[in-house]
Each structure stands twice: as C-alpha cells, then as structure tokens.
Amino acid sequence: MIMSSRGEQAVQALSRFGELAWFKLPTEFNAAYGYAQVPYMGWRYAFPEEGVAQLIEAAVRALPTQVDWEIDRTRRNWVLVPTRVLREAHGLADPSFRDVVHSINVQDQEFCLKALSDFELIIQHLLRVHISED
C-alpha cells in the first residue's frame, strides 16, 4: 500500500500509543474532481491499552482547532472525524455517512480546508504528546 507523507505521519503518531492492526486515511484532495476532502482517519490497535483513547481524546480537545473533532469508539475501529460529519450522518453506523462526507466535500470547501488544517495540527500534536511510562 502506497501512503502519503501525511498518512505516514498519522501512522507514526498513532503508533506511539500502541501497535496498529489497521489504519485508513482518505486522500486529502480529489484529483478527479479537483476539490479538497473532509479529513478523517480510522484505526484499530492490536492490543488497545487502558487509557489510550482518553489520552488521544484529551490531546485533540486541548488544541485550538477551527472545527470541532470527535473520536468515535462505538465500533471496532476508532475514527477521528469532524463532529459535524457525525452529527449530520447520525453516527458512523448510518449508511448516509459516505453521502454526508461527499456532500460536504462538494458543497463546503471552506469547511474542508479548515478541517484539513486542523488535521495537520492534530497529527503534529499527537507526534509530540507526552506518554507516561507507568
């Protein structure tokens, strides 16, 4: 699998908190249609440790982001996604999730660009978060 440097950085950041068993990050730009896309990433740890999710959530909440973000842990894979997407799609399980993402991509480039800027900030922050060695 070929991964962008953004994807590599995201994997590196998440791997600091445990061994990744699965990871997915959509491209930030739709080359076919020429627009920026809402960033979100999904991942699963091979051996999720107690407190890791809370540590990542606290790190994301601490940042001065332009849009609100949430880590959805209602399913097997965790997903970091702008809160607006979850709200408009009524959660990840809803079949309309992809439609909502597509709709925002096409109709709200300003939101996409703000979220992409936030996403970069979040990844950089996760690369630096202090992890205590208990």
Side-chain angles (χ1 to χ4, degrees):
M1 177 169 94
I2 297 171
M3 199 177 301
S4 67
S5 60
R6 184 175 79 120
E8 289 169 9
Q9 281 193 327
V11 165
Q12 186 182 353
L14 293 172
S15 294
R16 295 183 65 225
F17 302 92
E19 180 189 338
L20 287 177
W22 178 83
F23 174 81
K24 180 169 174 58
L25 176 67
T27 59
E28 70 187 284
F29 192 76
N30 183 314
Y33 296 102
Y35 54 72
Q37 302 192 121
V38 175
Y40 61 92
M41 70 177 169
W43 73 96
R44 180 174 64 252
Y45 288 110
F47 312 101
E49 289 186 35
E50 195 61 41
V52 164
Q54 291 80 357
L55 184 62
I56 295 172
E57 286 169 340
V60 171
R61 266 197 312 273
L63 292 170
T65 54
Q66 299 175 70
V67 303
D68 292 330
W69 290 81
E70 212 165 305
I71 295 177
D72 184 293
R73 295 184 291 135
T74 58
R75 304 175 72 173
R76 185 170 164 217
N77 301 323
W78 297 354
V79 179
L80 172 70
V81 62
T83 305
R84 171 183 170 185
V85 176
L86 281 182
R87 191 177 58 242
E88 290 182 16
H90 309 292
L92 291 175
D94 195 290
S96 69
F97 180 80
R98 284 179 191 262
D99 296 338
V100 167
V101 168
H102 179 73
S103 171
I104 293 171
N105 288 345
V106 173
Q107 297 173 9
D108 196 346
Q109 280 293 286
E110 184 181 346
F111 179 84
C112 293
L113 294 170
K114 284 179 180 177
L116 282 165
S117 173
D118 284 354
F119 188 82
E120 188 64 35
L121 181 72
I122 291 166
I123 295 306
Q124 293 307 314
H125 186 62
L126 290 176
L127 283 165
R128 295 187 305 267
V129 166
H130 176 71
I131 303 170
S132 62
E133 305 292 327
D134 291 332

